Amino acid sequence: MKLCFRIKYEVLKKWVEELKGLLIKQKQENLFGHLIGRLLAYSPIGADSYHPCEAVRKIIEEYDSDSLRSSYIVAEENKRGVHTVDAGKSELILHQRYLNNAEGLQAEYPKTAEIYFTLSEDYKREAEYERKRAEDEW
């Protein structure tokens, strides 16, 4: 298990600020949330076994935006890759995993938790859709 103690908040914050400065300089600041959200989704697990690690959570709380959240969610969903259709069973597992993660983060990192609540709800809807589709096929 990878722990986040290897990612220092101060170092990450400096990198994020440098990226933001470069984007502003190139008149592309509107890409900031999209880029950061997509990158942060690939962070390691935290010392408390929740995703993402603590340094990334702090960055999300500080730089929260619609574009950051939506890019993070898309990147997280894309990490799933190819999967087998199983009448929604795997989606229910993911729904519960993301729900547990969100609940674990909610008190200290509410904006980060919201990302995981959204993922949980997305997979819950997907599970219901897949279950109904499987029933209709029989």
Side-chain angles (χ1 to χ4, degrees):
M1 175 191 317
K2 285 187 176 182
L3 298 178
C4 192
F5 63 87
R6 300 167 101 173
I7 297 178
K8 294 185 176 66
Y9 168 75
E10 296 78 18
V11 174
L12 181 59
K13 167 98 171 156
K14 182 180 179 206
W15 181 85
V16 167
E17 281 297 316
E18 287 175 8
L19 174 64
K20 188 173 185 176
L22 289 170
L23 289 169
I24 290 169
K25 194 175 183 179
Q26 296 175 7
K27 297 182 183 354
Q28 296 185 7
E29 184 178 7
N30 59 331
L31 295 176
F32 178 74
H34 172 72
L35 292 171
I36 290 298
R38 190 169 60 184
L39 292 171
L40 296 180
Y42 290 90
S43 71
I45 193 169
D48 56 5
S49 298
Y50 293 115
H51 284 94
C53 69
E54 290 81 353
V56 169
R57 294 176 207 167
K58 290 178 184 178
I59 295 294
I60 291 171
E61 296 297 313
E62 189 172 339
Y63 293 93
D64 180 53
S65 69
D66 290 341
S67 61
L68 185 152
R69 275 182 265 121
S70 64
S71 291
Y72 190 105
I73 289 166
V74 168
E76 187 67 30
E77 289 172 342
N78 286 341
K79 288 192 307 187
R80 183 175 185 201
V82 177
H83 59 279
T84 304
V85 177
D86 59 3
K89 292 176 187 173
S90 58
E91 287 81 6
L92 277 178
I93 291 168
L94 290 169
H95 155 66
Q96 193 59 54
R97 184 180 305 153
Y98 286 125
L99 181 61
N100 293 344
N101 198 85
E103 289 172 345
L105 297 176
Q106 190 172 21
E108 199 169 343
Y109 304 98
K111 294 173 183 174
T112 307
E114 191 56 42
I115 290 171
Y116 285 89
F117 280 122
T118 299
L119 284 161
S120 175
E121 285 302 310
D122 288 351
Y123 279 110
K124 183 178 179 181
R125 269 192 306 281
E126 183 76 19
E128 290 169 1
Y129 170 78
E130 291 295 335
R131 183 187 54 77
K132 287 177 185 175
R133 196 176 107 195
E135 287 174 0
D136 290 345
E137 289 178 4
W138 289 96

